[in-house]
């Protein structure tokens, strides 16, 4: 199990950028998939991106080219760089982790398969 703490959310105008951070700690004895999810005001959740222990990444189609997931292993910090933000990006953003060597794309649509979550950080994009 790992502990996750997000930061970096805020309010921006459409077209702006934000960089979210996620400090990770705890048991890293196993290989982990690291994720960014978001939850809309409707409470619907969707996965945005994941990073495998190998460094492989994948993204939800709707954010490809705009969002970038990365990691600073020395600082145990996961990042999500978000560019060209749109009002429909307004949501609570979460980092999350799954103990597996491979993340599998389908897990972006199955948050129940991802057991470890941060508390979230609000992102609000004004038109």
């Amino acid at each position: 199990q790992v502990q996750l703490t997000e930061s970096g959310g805020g309010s921006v105008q459409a077209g702006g950028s934000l960089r979210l951070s996620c400090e990770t700690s705890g048991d890293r004895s196993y290989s982990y998939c690291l994720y960014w999810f978001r939850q809309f005001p409707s409470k619907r959740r969707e996965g945005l991106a994941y990073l495998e222990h190998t460094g492989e990444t994948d993204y939800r189609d709707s954010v490809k080219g705009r969002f970038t997931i990365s990691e600073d292993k020395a600082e145990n910090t996961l990042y999500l760089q978000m560019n060209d933000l749109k009002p429909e990006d307004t949501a609570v953003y979460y980092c999350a982790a799954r103990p597996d060597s491979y993340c599998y794309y389908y897990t972006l649509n199955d948050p129940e398969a991802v057991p470890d979550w941060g508390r979230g950080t609000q992102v609000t994009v004004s038109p």
Side-chain angles (χ1 to χ4, degrees):
Q1 183 178 352
V2 297
Q3 291 74 51
L4 307 160
T5 304
E6 307 95 335
S7 63
S11 298
V12 299
Q13 294 186 20
S17 297
L18 284 173
R19 187 197 195 198
L20 306 183
S21 299
C22 174
E23 296 182 358
T24 68
S25 63
D27 186 3
R28 296 295 299 271
S29 298
Y30 306 97
S31 297
Y32 277 84
C33 301
L34 300 175
Y35 294 81
W36 287 98
F37 279 78
R38 63 188 178 187
Q39 182 170 306
F40 297 108
S42 67
K43 307 302 181 184
R44 181 173 65 87
R45 290 177 292 175
E46 65 178 23
L48 303 172
Y50 60 69
L51 173 67
E52 294 183 333
H53 71 100
T54 61
E56 294 281 351
T57 63
D58 212 343
Y59 297 85
R60 192 176 196 89
D61 286 344
S62 63
V63 303
K64 285 181 179 178
R66 296 194 298 128
F67 292 8
T68 302
I69 189 172
S70 62
E71 182 185 24
D72 186 333
K73 291 184 177 180
E75 296 184 3
N76 295 315
T77 302
L78 184 73
Y79 298 101
L80 184 68
Q81 178 67 44
M82 304 187 294
N83 297 326
D84 191 24
L85 285 162
K86 304 175 180 181
E88 52 263 43
D89 294 319
T90 295
V92 178
Y93 283 70
Y94 297 88
C95 57
R98 168 185 166 89
D100 206 343
S101 296
Y102 300 96
C103 302
Y104 303 104
Y105 189 87
Y106 81 86
T107 57
L108 293 176
N109 293 317
D110 187 14
E112 297 296 329
V114 184
D116 300 325
W117 293 73
R119 294 182 179 180
T121 185
Q122 177 71 46
V123 172
T124 302
V125 184
S126 301

